[in-house]
Amino acid sequence: MQKYIELLRKPMQVKPESLRAARQKSSSTPPHVYRLNYNESPYGLGPLSEEALEKAIKTPYVYPDWFSVELKTNIAKLYDLDFENVVVGPGSSAMINMLGELFINPGDEFIFGDPSYEAFRDVANDYGAVTVPVPLDDDMNYDLDAMLAAVTDKTKILVVVNPNNPTGTFIDSKKLEDFIRKVPKHVITVIDEAYLEFVTDENCYSMLKLIKEGIDKPLVIMKTFSKIYGMAGLRVGYAITDPVMADHFGKSSNAWNVSFIGQKTAAAATLDQEHVSMVKNINAQERDKVTKVLRSLNCKVYDSQTNFILFKAPIDNMEVYAKLEEQDVLIGAPIGMNRVSLGKPEMNEKFIKIMKEILS
């Protein structure tokens, strides 16, 4: 038996190993290595957020505003919401952990798509929930009917990641709206929109509209500054929900722990929408380019609306991973396939060059 394991909470004593790559090995890499495996934005901060960061780092001795008033106010203005609709936390992973800390009792059922973002499976296991993974179909799309059929009286949380990670695919938002309205009121419906800002298909839009309409059920929309805003290292995530649910989130210590530097940079980032549009447009161009090349190399490529692409090469996925790693390009290797994050054009060109060498 592992030493001191009896001191852990019971769910942690029996928790299975996380499937997240970030939980399995160090993410530390030399500067010359291309990290096309973590879905980071290589374009970094916009001019306003960069200026705010440079100013904030001069006063690291200052405690943050525990209520994050400026940040919440700016997020509310960005989406034309009320201040009371906004919850913030030190990264989207911390926001996900709040779901377990606040709402999960041992034995509660937790429904999610499979494959999807593994942080949700992790938090279910962390707090003793019964995981209910619902397989995606052959095209890596959510089976919403199957998810609805999986709901029981014991279901506490149901999660949809849209667009989905690691597949990059999305659910038609009108269908998702209809689905959310059908979920029973005793279930907390969580929509993770971490990658929504990269979407160019008009059929995929935010479920914030349901919050604005005052939908009468517990609905939580999760978002992040880690992706298109280029702030993954500063750890700022947020959720939009109704004021009563937002007040419940405030009972978690994570809701009070966004750093001073993170708050100031993120608050400014909400005003950097020209930068966001630039990143979105370049990403879309690179996504189309890389998709076409991979398909020309006889790879099965899933249509993506994100800053990454899931593909199945005609050779083993770990061989693809290893050959790219040999030339200082890191990509992901989930679910027997490969996932490549979209970098700057020169980074993507190096990836394409190596892939042509591997598969030619």
Side-chain angles (χ1 to χ4, degrees), residues 141-271:
N141 294 312
Y142 273 82
D143 187 340
L144 296 180
D145 290 338
M147 293 191 84
L148 202 58
V151 174
T152 72
D153 291 342
K154 295 182 179 180
T155 304
K156 176 63 69 71
I157 296 175
L158 182 152
V159 177
V160 173
V161 181
N162 196 42
N164 192 36
N165 177 19
T167 65
T169 52
F170 76 93
I171 305 168
D172 181 286
S173 292
K174 182 61 175 70
K175 293 180 181 178
L176 185 55
E177 275 192 67
D178 294 340
F179 168 79
I180 292 170
R181 296 182 194 281
K182 294 175 183 176
V183 176
K185 288 186 178 182
H186 73 276
V187 178
I188 301 170
T189 303
V190 177
I191 309 298
D192 185 332
E193 295 184 348
Y195 296 95
L196 192 80
E197 287 81 8
F198 292 106
V199 170
T200 55
D201 191 308
E202 63 182 13
N203 293 309
C204 184
Y205 52 83
S206 177
M207 291 297 102
L208 289 178
K209 70 186 295 289
L210 296 181
I211 301 294
K212 293 180 180 181
E213 292 170 5
I215 189 169
D216 186 22
K217 59 176 55 184
L219 173 64
V220 179
I221 313 300
M222 290 198 158
K223 290 181 159 297
T224 183
F225 286 95
S226 293
K227 301 307 176 184
I228 205 164
Y229 288 99
M231 289 177 51
L234 290 178
R235 312 309 301 133
V236 185
Y238 61 105
I240 307 295
T241 186
D242 73 53
V244 174
M245 285 291 286
D247 188 58
H248 289 326
F249 271 93
K251 297 171 183 176
S252 166
S253 60
N254 272 323
W256 309 90
N257 276 329
V258 180
S259 73
F260 171 77
I261 294 171
Q263 286 187 38
K264 290 296 184 180
T265 309
T270 64
L271 308 176

Side-chain angles (χ1 to χ4, degrees), residues 1 14 18 24 28-29 79 116 148 180 186 189 231 259 308 350:
M1 178 180 290
V14 298
S18 174
Q24 294 171 348
S28 177
T29 49
Y79 297 114
S116 190
L148 202 58
I180 292 170
H186 73 276
T189 303
M231 289 177 51
S259 73
F308 59 86
K350 182 174 182 180

Side-chain angles (χ1 to χ4, degrees), residues 43-59:
Y43 302 100
L45 302 175
L48 297 177
S49 48
E50 187 170 293
E51 180 182 356
L53 173 62
E54 291 174 352
K55 183 178 179 180
I57 59 177
K58 295 178 180 178
T59 54

Side-chain angles (χ1 to χ4, degrees), residues 221-355:
I221 313 300
M222 290 198 158
K223 290 181 159 297
T224 183
F225 286 95
S226 293
K227 301 307 176 184
I228 205 164
Y229 288 99
M231 289 177 51
L234 290 178
R235 312 309 301 133
V236 185
Y238 61 105
I240 307 295
T241 186
D242 73 53
V244 174
M245 285 291 286
D247 188 58
H248 289 326
F249 271 93
K251 297 171 183 176
S252 166
S253 60
N254 272 323
W256 309 90
N257 276 329
V258 180
S259 73
F260 171 77
I261 294 171
Q263 286 187 38
K264 290 296 184 180
T265 309
T270 64
L271 308 176
D272 258 330
Q273 294 307 305
E274 186 174 336
H275 175 74
V276 170
S277 296
M278 180 272 290
V279 175
K280 177 179 178 177
N281 291 336
I282 295 176
N283 181 79
Q285 294 168 13
E286 293 298 301
R287 186 172 62 210
D288 289 345
K289 178 180 72 177
V290 175
T291 296
K292 289 175 182 176
V293 171
L294 287 173
R295 284 180 172 153
S296 73
L297 295 173
N298 295 317
C299 295
K300 165 69 174 176
V301 182
Y302 294 90
D303 290 328
S304 174
Q305 281 289 305
T306 62
N307 67 333
F308 59 86
I309 297 169
L310 181 72
F311 66 95
K312 176 68 173 174
I315 61 175
D316 182 74
N317 70 317
M318 295 310 299
E319 182 179 354
V320 173
Y321 174 90
K323 289 184 178 296
L324 284 158
E325 185 179 34
E326 288 172 2
Q327 298 191 53
D328 297 326
V329 175
L330 299 180
I331 68 168
I335 59 172
M337 302 188 199
N338 291 106
R339 187 193 68 183
V340 59
S341 305
L342 295 162
K344 290 183 176 179
E346 63 269 23
M347 302 164 79
N348 300 329
E349 287 297 335
K350 182 174 182 180
F351 166 75
I352 287 171
K353 177 178 179 292
I354 299 170
M355 288 298 296

